[in-house]
Amino acid sequence: MRFAALTLALIGWFSVCSSAQAEPVRIRMASLVPKNSVYHRALLEMGQIWQKAEGEGASFTVFTDGAQGGEADIVRRMRIGQLNAALLSVVGLRDIEPSVSALQSLPLMFRDWEELDYVREKLRPELEQAFLKKGYVALGWGDAGWVRFFSKEPASRPDDYKRMKMFAWAGEPEQMEIMKALGYRPVSLETADILPALQTGLISVVPVTPFYALAAQFNGPAPYMLELNWAPMVGALVMTKTAWETISPAGRDALKAAARKATDELRVKARSDVDASVAAMRQRGLQVTALTPELEVEWRKFADTIYPRIRGTVVPAETFDEVVRLLQAYRAGHRE
């Protein structure tokens, strides 16, 4: 009887294990990228590669256009298990790990893409370890172009924008306070609310990349752009550690490789598409204000006044100092 009971118990245990192993793996990813955009298509292709490696029953769903809310909402949904992956900008990533703000929230800190790439690669191992400690796996890093100012009326100097109501990302109270302290009029909104806010006059200027401005048609109600590379729009593909651990070894390898390929290709395309996006908007009436050397000097002096406010609030002081050190080393010929 004891042997029979033990046999039945083992059979039951193996049945449970088999059932658990047979449970299909489902990835539910969210992002603010527009449906059918190059970003959306890249995510779908990545999902197809992973599904093939993972095997029968694996599913990959991508929610676009902020269907799951803003980036703060997406992070919250990942925390409670409603989502398990996302393509996020630093706006959402910093809700997981604040030090990542150093890649996007330092206006005019990076002079070109080479400087950003250098600093990001130096910080990446530490950032990825920090994300892992918070329960997230960073699958790939990318960017979506330089943020520029699109406005309802012409503007070129820092003070020109003080008379306008400027879009600010929802969930960034530190940024709001800094802008107010500098004399600006920020309006906190989700990304999905930008276009109607421009159309109704709730806001009159939005800092955004040309690619996104074109895709979202912001250039209609905001037909003026200052040709100033204010800051890079940086992002990453992240997945919850819980979901990552349900994926097979073959699936993990395929997903990691596909994610890296997708983010690398998107980064190249986003950078090359800036001029094309601006050209397309020019044909639709966009007026571009060139950045003269005099204007650039004025904006850089303005940025210098912001850094002390950012250090230790928006960007952790230690990370801020490390970025400055790395840039100094890079500009001195990569000597460290």
Side-chain angles (χ1 to χ4, degrees), residues 28-295:
R28 291 168 55 84
M29 175 177 288
S31 181
L32 303 185
V33 301
K35 186 175 182 179
N36 296 324
S37 66
V38 62
Y39 294 92
H40 183 208
R41 293 195 299 271
L43 293 177
L44 292 176
E45 181 180 349
M46 180 186 73
Q48 290 171 356
I49 293 171
W50 167 74
Q51 284 177 287
K52 183 177 179 180
E54 188 65 26
E56 187 177 353
S59 66
F60 188 89
T61 304
V62 180
F63 299 95
T64 60
D65 297 296
Q68 297 294 311
E71 294 202 345
D73 296 314
I74 291 172
V75 173
R76 179 182 58 81
R77 289 178 184 274
M78 283 197 290
R79 286 190 176 124
I80 62 177
Q82 292 179 349
L83 297 168
N84 50 31
L87 175 60
L88 299 169
S89 73
V90 163
V91 175
L93 295 172
R94 71 188 297 267
D95 281 350
I96 301 171
E97 173 49 48
S99 61
V100 76
S101 297
L103 297 177
Q104 181 174 302
S105 302
L106 298 175
L108 300 181
M109 180 68 77
F110 302 105
R111 296 174 181 171
D112 51 41
W113 291 121
E114 287 75 18
E115 288 191 349
L116 173 65
D117 290 341
Y118 178 79
V119 171
R120 176 167 44 200
E121 281 305 299
K122 290 294 185 180
L123 295 182
R124 186 170 58 82
E126 185 177 338
L127 286 173
E128 291 183 352
Q129 189 59 35
F131 273 97
L132 193 58
K133 288 181 180 178
K134 300 290 179 66
Y136 295 84
V137 177
L139 300 173
W141 296 84
D143 46 67
W146 294 102
V147 169
R148 293 179 178 174
F149 295 107
F150 289 78
S151 56
K152 296 176 75 69
E153 57 186 86
S156 60
R157 302 175 60 247
D159 282 351
D160 291 343
Y161 293 96
K162 290 184 178 180
R163 65 176 182 267
M164 305 182 191
K165 292 174 286 186
M166 183 177 291
F167 164 76
W169 294 97
E172 291 198 325
E174 302 94 342
Q175 292 273 23
M176 291 280 290
E177 291 305 313
I178 290 173
M179 292 174 70
K180 289 178 181 178
L182 292 169
Y184 292 89
R185 303 164 63 191
V187 179
S188 179
L189 296 168
E190 293 291 355
T191 308
D193 298 324
I194 294 176
L195 183 58
L198 283 170
Q199 292 169 332
T200 61
L202 180 60
I203 59 173
S204 47
V205 57
V206 55
V208 70
T209 65
F211 175 86
Y212 197 82
L214 174 62
Q217 301 178 35
F218 296 157
N219 56 294
Y224 297 94
M225 184 197 81
L226 176 62
E227 205 167 27
L228 171 72
N229 293 335
W230 179 241
M233 178 66 73
V234 175
L237 267 169
V238 295
M239 171 176 281
T240 63
K241 185 180 176 183
T242 301
W244 177 254
E245 291 174 345
T246 67
I247 298 174
S248 69
R252 290 184 192 178
D253 291 343
L255 182 59
K256 193 83 170 182
R260 185 63 182 266
K261 179 176 181 288
T263 51
D264 286 350
E265 290 178 351
L266 286 172
R267 182 166 61 247
V268 171
K269 183 166 182 57
R271 295 177 183 184
S272 64
D273 277 359
V274 170
D275 292 340
S277 296
V278 172
M281 288 185 286
R282 278 182 183 271
Q283 293 180 346
R284 302 178 188 183
L286 181 71
Q287 300 296 309
V288 178
T289 301
L291 185 70
T292 64
E294 293 76 18
L295 277 176

